[in-house]
């Protein structure tokens, strides 16, 4: 993976194009480390996730899993479980963070790549992108957050359609289902995703981050817990200089329109 921090935007890039950006053991460990970094570094105000080559991500590297383990020996189920756990740590860090994430999806997404893509809160997809599961084709079950993040995005019935059949969804259908946020021509994906990230950083970025965190974590807590968190969060934000200036500006503009 490639990574950089510029003007508050952490730019993470899947960079194994010859393997369709599928994650092997080494890439999984780097993903975990980067996920924990962007979730904890106050200098990171937004994340841009993208990929090199023709595909966005094919999930776990099945070819690597079928040939050699982390120590160079044959792969056992325990190796696969350990590898998934490492990648899951990065996914959890990003999803549960207060940093908004935009993904630039320029190509095909398959298997666990769906879960990695869905760590993003805003997904810009190319009009030529394709989306599929492929787990059942090789006798495996979903990992990398797919069993949770996919139904959260598109509903349980459609998620089951993807994981129980050999179905490939085009970009237009992905947009209709809510799998992606917007679809643009392939040559506009990178620029549009960067504009989204820059917009967050240049705006009320603390509020964007807290809004993302509240929505992402809300489904896993009681309603009362969510209400308490909302109340505490909006109060804390209200005391920031950024919010006070924006609230005052909004109030002044409203009074002007009434007069």
């Amino acid at each position: 993976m490639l990574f950089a921090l510029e003007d508050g935007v952490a730019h993470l890039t899947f960079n194994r194009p010859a393997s369709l950006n599928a994650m092997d053991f080494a890439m999984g460990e780097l993903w975990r480390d980067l996920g924990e970094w962007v979730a904890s570094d106050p200098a990171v105000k937004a994340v841009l996730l993208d990929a090199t080559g023709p595909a966005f991500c094919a999930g776990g590297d099945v070819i690597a899993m079928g040939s050699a383990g982390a120590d160079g020996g044959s792969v056992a189920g325990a190796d696969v479980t350990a590898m998934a756990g490492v990648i899951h740590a990065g996914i959890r860090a990003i999803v549960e963070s207060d940093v908004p994430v935009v993904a630039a999806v320029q190509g095909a997404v398959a298997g666990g790549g769906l879960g990695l893509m869905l760590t993003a809160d805003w997904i810009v997809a190319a009009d030529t992108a394709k989306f599929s599961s492929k787990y059942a084709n090789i006798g495996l079950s979903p990992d990398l957050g797919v069993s949770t993040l996919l139904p959260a995005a598109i509903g349980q019935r459609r998620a089951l359609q993807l994981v129980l059949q050999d179905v490939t969804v085009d970009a237009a259908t992905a947009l209709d289902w809510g799998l992606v946020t917007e679809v643009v021509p392939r040559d506009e994906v990178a620029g549009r995703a960067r504009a989204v990230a820059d917009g967050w950083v240049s705006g009320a970025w603390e509020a964007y981050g807290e809004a993302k965190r509240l929505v992402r974590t809300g489904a896993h807590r009681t309603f009362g817990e969510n209400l308490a968190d909302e109340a505490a969060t909006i109060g804390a934000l209200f005391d920031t200089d950024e919010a006070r200036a924006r609230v005052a500006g909004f109030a002044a503009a409203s009074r002007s329109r009434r007069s």
Side-chain angles (χ1 to χ4, degrees):
M1 292 191 67
L2 306 176
F3 59 96
L5 178 62
E6 181 182 1
D7 298 327
V9 178
H11 188 176
L12 311 184
T13 303
F14 297 139
N15 189 40
R16 297 186 73 224
S19 299
L20 302 180
N21 292 314
M23 282 203 174
D24 61 3
F25 290 98
M27 183 176 173
E29 290 178 347
L30 185 53
W31 164 262
R32 175 201 58 200
D33 295 345
L34 290 174
E36 293 174 350
W37 163 57
V38 301
S40 62
D41 191 334
V44 178
K45 300 177 181 179
V47 174
L48 170 58
L49 179 63
D50 63 8
T52 60
F56 178 75
C57 183
D61 192 335
V62 176
I63 296 175
M65 287 189 287
S67 58
D71 60 358
S74 60
V75 173
D79 295 309
V80 176
T81 296
M83 177 181 178
V86 168
I87 300 171
H88 289 174
I91 291 173
R92 183 171 181 177
I94 290 174
V95 170
E96 294 182 350
S97 75
D98 59 358
V99 182
V101 181
V102 58
V105 179
Q106 89 293 1
V109 186
L114 292 170
L116 294 166
M117 177 188 78
L118 289 168
T119 61
D121 310 297
W122 193 284
I123 300 171
V124 181
D127 52 6
T128 55
K130 304 288 185 182
F131 308 85
S132 59
S133 165
K134 303 298 185 183
Y135 282 105
N137 300 48
I138 53 175
L140 296 177
S141 56
D143 65 343
L144 308 195
V146 170
S147 66
T148 302
L149 298 175
L150 186 61
I154 65 176
Q156 189 179 85
R157 191 65 57 196
R158 283 172 171 163
L160 287 169
Q161 184 179 348
L162 274 176
V163 300
L164 295 180
Q165 294 188 43
D166 186 10
V167 174
T168 297
V169 172
D170 62 18
T173 302
L175 179 63
D176 180 59
W177 284 11
L179 183 59
V180 302
T181 310
E182 57 183 294
V183 173
V184 300
R186 192 180 191 282
D187 61 357
E188 296 178 14
V189 171
R192 173 56 186 155
R194 182 71 200 205
V196 171
D198 287 342
W200 289 332
V201 171
S202 64
W205 61 271
E206 288 179 293
Y208 291 132
E210 292 296 349
K212 169 260 177 77
R213 183 187 61 79
L214 287 167
V215 171
R216 285 288 201 172
T217 60
H220 311 294
R221 303 182 303 189
T222 67
F223 187 46
E225 288 172 328
N226 288 336
L227 290 176
D229 195 353
E230 286 182 349
T233 301
I234 196 171
L237 285 171
F238 190 81
D239 283 338
T240 64
D241 292 339
E242 175 79 17
R244 287 191 177 280
R246 288 177 179 270
V247 169
F250 180 84
S254 296
R255 288 192 294 269
S256 177
R257 285 194 296 270
R258 293 195 197 103
S259 61

